[in-house]
Amino acid sequence: MKKNKYFQHETADVDVTAEIGDGTYIWQNVQVRKDAQIGSECIVGKGAFVDFGAVVGNRVKIQNYANIFRGVTIEDGVMVGPSVCFTNDMFPRAVNVEGELLDYRDWECFETRVKTGAGLGAGSIIVCNNTIGKWAIVGSGSVVTRDVPDYALVYGNPARVRGFVCPCGTKLPERSNLFIKEKVTCPECNMEITLPACPDIK
C-alpha cells in the first residue's frame, strides 16, 4: 500500500486512521481526528482542528485556529480563513433531561458543504445544514444561516447577498434580474460567468 508523502509538524496530532494527501502541510498544534480526510497539496495552519469524519478536498488552505467539525465537506480549492468555525448541531445540549452527559451518538449531526473555490473570511461562523456555493465569498466576521448561491458575496449577521464575484475576486456588475440565470462578463479578466437564479436571497 502506497504511503502518502506529506509534512507533519512535530507538535501536530494526526490520528493514524486519518487520510492525508501528498504534498499537504500540517503545521504546529493541529489536531486531525480519526477517519478525517484531507486531500493533496493542502495547508493546515497552526492550531486548526479537523474533526473525525470531516472531508477536505485538494489544494485547500485552512488558516490558523479554524474549526472543521464532523459533518463538514470542503471541496477543492477552498480558502478557510483564520478562526472560521463550522457548527454541526441545530439543537445543542450538553446533557439530557435527566442531567446525564451526552456524547456524539445522542444527537443528530447536520451536514455542511463548501463548494469548489469558495472563500470564507476570518472569524466567520458557518451554521450547519447549509451549502456555500462555488466561488462564493463570505466576509470576515459573518454568520451564515442559509445557503449561499454560487459566486455570491455575502456578509453581515446574518449574512446576506451583497453582490456577486468572479473567480478572480473581482466584484461583478449589478444583476438586472435575480429570478433567472444571467450571463455576465468580469470587467477585470473578461471571464463570462453564468450566475444562478436566486429569487429568495433578500
Side-chain angles (χ1 to χ4, degrees):
M1 181 174 170
K2 174 180 175 286
K3 182 174 176 59
N4 290 350
K5 298 179 180 178
Y6 63 90
F7 171 82
Q8 177 182 334
H9 191 272
E10 61 184 7
T11 62
D13 178 10
V14 178
D15 192 274
V16 294
T17 66
E19 296 181 18
I20 314 294
D22 289 342
T24 285
Y25 285 78
I26 309 289
W27 288 106
Q28 293 96 324
N29 302 314
V30 169
Q31 183 179 9
V32 181
R33 297 191 66 195
K34 67 177 184 178
D35 299 324
Q37 298 176 41
I38 300 176
S40 301
E41 300 178 48
C42 294
I43 298 173
V44 184
K46 179 180 178 180
F49 174 77
V50 183
D51 204 0
F52 73 91
V55 178
V56 176
N58 301 316
R59 297 175 298 283
V60 173
K61 294 182 74 174
I62 300 171
Q63 302 286 52
N64 297 0
Y65 303 106
N67 289 289
I68 300 169
F69 291 106
R70 178 169 67 104
V72 174
T73 298
I74 296 174
E75 297 183 0
D76 295 347
V78 169
M79 163 66 84
V80 180
S83 300
V84 168
C85 186
F86 290 87
T87 73
N88 62 5
D89 189 353
M90 297 292 285
F91 310 101
R93 289 286 187 265
V95 295
N96 62 21
V97 294
E98 287 79 30
E100 298 167 330
L101 187 66
L102 301 174
D103 69 16
Y104 72 94
R105 291 163 292 199
D106 297 317
W107 52 272
E108 180 180 359
C109 178
F110 288 83
E111 297 184 352
T112 298
R113 179 173 291 270
V114 183
K115 292 189 174 180
T116 299
L120 311 180
S124 54
I125 297 172
I126 314 302
V127 176
C128 55
N129 207 30
N130 290 300
T131 296
I132 296 175
K134 65 182 181 181
W135 298 108
I137 292 180
V138 175
S140 297
S142 298
V143 179
V144 174
T145 60
R146 62 196 299 184
D147 288 347
V148 175
D150 293 348
Y151 305 102
L153 169 64
V154 303
Y155 54 86
N157 181 7
R160 290 290 180 260
V161 175
R162 315 290 180 164
F164 292 83
V165 289
C166 177
C168 78
T170 300
K171 192 170 181 181
L172 296 170
E174 292 293 323
R175 298 187 63 175
S176 60
N177 190 344
L178 291 171
F179 288 83
I180 61 172
K181 289 183 179 180
E182 188 174 10
K183 285 187 177 181
V184 299
T185 300
C186 175
E188 181 66 27
C189 70
N190 295 317
M191 178 183 288
E192 187 175 74
I193 299 163
T194 301
L195 299 177
C198 40
D200 60 343
I201 64 173
K202 297 298 184 184

